[in-house]
């Protein structure tokens, strides 16, 4: 089994799917392809699940598990974020491959403005996107940048721990939900008593965690977290909607005061067909955007402000970045158009510039590592 995992990593797979009665499959360039010639048995899946579960007590109740998350490492090769679940009454396993090396912004093909975002002393930075859009890798790159370039105390709260950060110029404390801490919200409250400079929260899942994260940002900490949303405007709306109607006006004020940036991303197939490329919308919060967050009737103006701030602030909409990716021949026009916020407007703008069908693949792409990133 270890040889199979090794091959998947070497081939650049992002995930491995294992279930009884099927071939072991790997996700390569967005497609599920078989890794084995023979189908795997229920007993083989069960034995592998026992091997992957880190805690003895959990291993003893393997037959009772319906849904279980953990992480597992293969020495010298990489780590995996593991989900063990029941399907049709038997166990299934999905393993997300996490590389050993901490990626840089350049490795991931992210714009240099991410360095400025990581240099914020306080406030809230949100990385958003659907499952499998590379959020974990982007947050690891932010933590890695801070760790290499600054002398901070960084606390990460994760479920489970994915990338392992060594202490470099900073000291990094990594805490695992369910093992080191009871929950994100309890871990976040306790972290405020541990002299942090930077706090990473794996996910803001509930009102209590969001409220405590805002308090941490308000009291002078840099808080980095994720939300499962498609873009900046949806992210702000989703956070506000978590609170009761009578609380929402104050939450708007608190968000306007604390949010520094929202990075929303999607993964697209490369034009050459080998790997994935990140497309990112980046909202840098300006004074005008803060006013729009506070005023519920102006929140739809934010997308235009992101668009207009590209030259001055380094912000960008998805469509602006998609145009750049087409021009750089990293993605095809068809793929970009299908993923644009407004496909018809995107088509019109590209053709007005005479670039609507420029599809020759690039000869080199530093973002090819995105074919093997974590969600």
């Amino acid at each position: 089994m270890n040889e199979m995992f090794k091959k998947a990593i070497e081939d650049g797979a992002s995930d491995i799917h294992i279930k009884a009665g099927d071939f072991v499959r790997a996700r390569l360039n967005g497609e599920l392809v078989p890794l084995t010639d023979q189908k795997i048995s229920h007993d083989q899946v069960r034995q592998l699940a026992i091997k992957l579960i880190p805690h003895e007590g959990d291993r003893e109740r393997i037959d009772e598990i319906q849904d279980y998350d953990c992480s597992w490492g293969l020495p010298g090769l990489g780590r995996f974020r593991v989900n063990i679940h029941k399907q049709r009454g038997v166990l299934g396993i999905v393993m997300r491959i996490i590389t050993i090396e901490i990626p840089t912004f350049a490795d991931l093909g992210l714009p240099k403005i991410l360095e400025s975002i990581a240099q914020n002393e306080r406030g809230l930075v949100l990385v958003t996107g659907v499952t499998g859009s590379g959020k974990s890798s982007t947050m690891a790159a932010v933590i890695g940048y801070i760790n290499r370039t600054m002398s901070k105390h960084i606390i990460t709260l994760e479920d489970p721990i994915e990338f392992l950060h060594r202490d470099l110029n900073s000291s990094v404390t990594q805490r695992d939900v369910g093992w080191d801490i009871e929950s994100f919200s309890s871990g976040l409250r306790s972290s405020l008593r541990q002299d942090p400079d930077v706090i990473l929260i794996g996910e803001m899942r509930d009102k209590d965690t969001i409220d405590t994260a805002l308090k941490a940002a308000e009291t002078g900490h840099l808080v980095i977290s994720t939300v499962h949303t498609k873009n900046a405007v949806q992210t702000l709306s989703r956070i506000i909607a978590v609170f009761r109607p009578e609380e929402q006006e104050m939450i708007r004020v608190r968000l306007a005061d604390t949010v520094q940036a929202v990075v929303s991303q999607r993964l697209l197939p490369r034009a050459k067909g080998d790997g994935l490329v990140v497309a990112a919308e980046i909202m840098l919060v300006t004074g005008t955007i803060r006013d729009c967050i506070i005023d519920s009737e102006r929140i739809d103006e934010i997308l235009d402000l992101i668009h207009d701030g590209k030259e001055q602030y380094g912000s960008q909409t998805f469509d602006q970045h998609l145009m750049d990716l087409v021009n750089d021949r990293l993605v095809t026009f068809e793929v970009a158009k299908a993923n644009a916020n407004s496909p018809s407007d995107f088509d019109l703008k590209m053709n007005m510039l005479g670039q609507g069908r420029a599809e020759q693949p690039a000869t080199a792409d530093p973002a090819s590592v995105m074919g093997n990133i974590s969600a």
Side-chain angles (χ1 to χ4, degrees):
M1 194 65 75
N2 285 357
E3 287 301 314
M4 181 187 65
F5 293 153
K6 179 179 178 182
K7 183 179 188 308
I9 292 171
E10 290 174 346
D11 289 348
S14 62
D15 301 84
I16 299 172
H17 292 241
I18 304 167
K19 68 177 181 180
D22 192 14
F23 304 105
V24 177
R25 300 175 185 268
R27 188 171 294 280
L28 289 165
N29 303 323
E31 301 291 331
L32 277 181
V33 298
L35 279 182
T36 57
D37 295 327
Q38 295 181 341
K39 295 181 179 180
I40 193 167
S41 70
H42 167 63
D43 187 60
Q44 288 174 307
V45 178
R46 187 178 184 277
Q47 291 303 314
L48 176 60
I50 291 172
K51 176 181 178 180
L52 298 175
I53 293 173
H55 310 311
E56 181 63 33
D58 294 331
R59 288 194 290 268
E60 291 175 353
R61 63 180 189 89
I62 180 67
D63 295 318
E64 302 171 17
I65 286 176
Q66 293 181 322
D67 209 322
Y68 185 87
D69 293 315
C70 63
S71 58
W72 182 75
L74 193 59
L77 281 177
R79 287 173 57 79
F80 301 83
R81 187 179 71 196
V82 180
N83 175 262
I84 301 169
H85 55 272
K86 280 281 180 66
Q87 63 92 30
R88 296 186 180 181
V90 297
L91 292 171
I93 303 171
V94 176
M95 305 174 67
R96 169 62 52 86
I97 297 172
I98 305 164
T99 56
I100 294 176
E101 295 297 321
I102 304 300
T104 66
F105 299 133
D107 289 337
L108 300 180
L110 291 166
K112 199 172 178 62
I113 192 65
L114 266 291
E115 293 182 3
S116 298
I117 292 172
Q119 290 168 13
N120 279 295
E121 291 288 327
R122 59 170 290 277
L124 185 63
V125 172
L126 297 173
V127 180
T128 82
V130 299
T131 300
S133 58
K135 299 185 296 295
S136 294
S137 293
T138 296
M139 292 204 301
V142 172
I143 296 301
Y145 177 83
I146 296 171
N147 192 14
R148 292 191 308 273
T149 61
M150 306 177 207
S151 298
K152 305 282 188 180
H153 181 205
I154 303 166
I155 297 177
T156 75
L157 312 173
E158 303 175 71
D159 182 18
I161 292 172
E162 299 186 20
F163 291 90
L164 297 180
H165 296 270
R166 294 180 293 111
D167 297 330
L168 299 175
N169 282 331
S170 292
S171 174
V172 186
T173 300
Q174 295 188 260
R175 309 190 73 192
D176 194 331
V177 173
W179 184 244
D180 302 312
I181 53 178
E182 182 179 339
S183 65
F184 282 121
S185 57
S186 64
L188 182 52
R189 285 192 295 271
S190 67
S191 71
L192 296 176
R193 300 189 292 272
Q194 295 159 15
D195 188 33
D197 298 294
V198 179
I199 304 171
L200 180 145
I201 309 167
E203 185 180 348
M204 296 203 302
R205 294 177 176 171
D206 53 55
K207 175 182 173 181
D208 190 26
T209 303
I210 294 171
D211 183 57
T212 309
L214 289 172
K215 289 176 181 174
E218 289 164 345
T219 53
H221 306 90
L222 178 62
V223 179
I224 304 162
S225 191
T226 69
V227 183
H228 289 286
T229 48
K230 294 181 179 179
N231 53 50
V233 173
Q234 188 183 84
T235 300
L236 298 169
S237 299
R238 179 75 57 83
I239 292 173
I240 293 166
V242 168
F243 293 84
R244 296 192 301 270
E246 62 270 22
E247 299 175 298
Q248 290 180 4
E249 184 176 351
M250 180 53 66
I251 290 302
R252 287 181 178 277
V253 174
R254 294 177 68 190
L255 272 176
D257 182 57
T258 56
V259 174
Q260 299 289 351
V262 178
V263 179
S264 303
Q265 53 189 64
R266 304 168 190 169
L267 291 180
L268 310 178
R270 294 178 63 206
K272 292 175 65 178
D274 54 344
L276 302 169
V277 178
V278 66
E281 175 183 275
I282 299 176
M283 181 186 79
L284 300 171
V285 179
T286 63
T288 307
I289 289 179
R290 293 188 195 281
D291 292 340
C292 292
I293 296 172
I294 293 171
D295 186 348
S296 61
E297 295 184 359
R298 297 186 60 193
I299 197 162
D300 289 337
E301 297 177 22
I302 290 176
L303 183 61
D304 288 337
L305 293 169
I306 296 172
H307 178 279
D308 296 342
K310 184 175 176 66
E311 295 299 325
Q312 184 173 357
Y313 302 111
S315 62
Q316 63 186 26
T317 65
F318 273 119
D319 289 8
Q320 285 174 311
H321 195 199
L322 289 170
M323 291 178 71
D324 292 340
L325 292 174
V326 173
N327 292 336
D328 292 339
R329 299 178 180 178
L330 297 179
V331 301
T332 65
F333 170 77
E334 283 76 14
V335 166
K337 179 181 174 181
N339 285 274
N341 287 324
S342 174
S344 58
D345 289 348
F346 182 82
D347 193 357
L348 178 62
K349 290 176 182 177
M350 290 296 291
N351 281 293
M352 284 178 63
L353 295 172
Q355 298 163 327
R357 301 284 167 179
E359 296 182 22
Q360 293 299 316
T363 55
D365 175 18
S368 61
V369 72
M370 295 302 286
N372 184 25
I373 69 170
S374 177

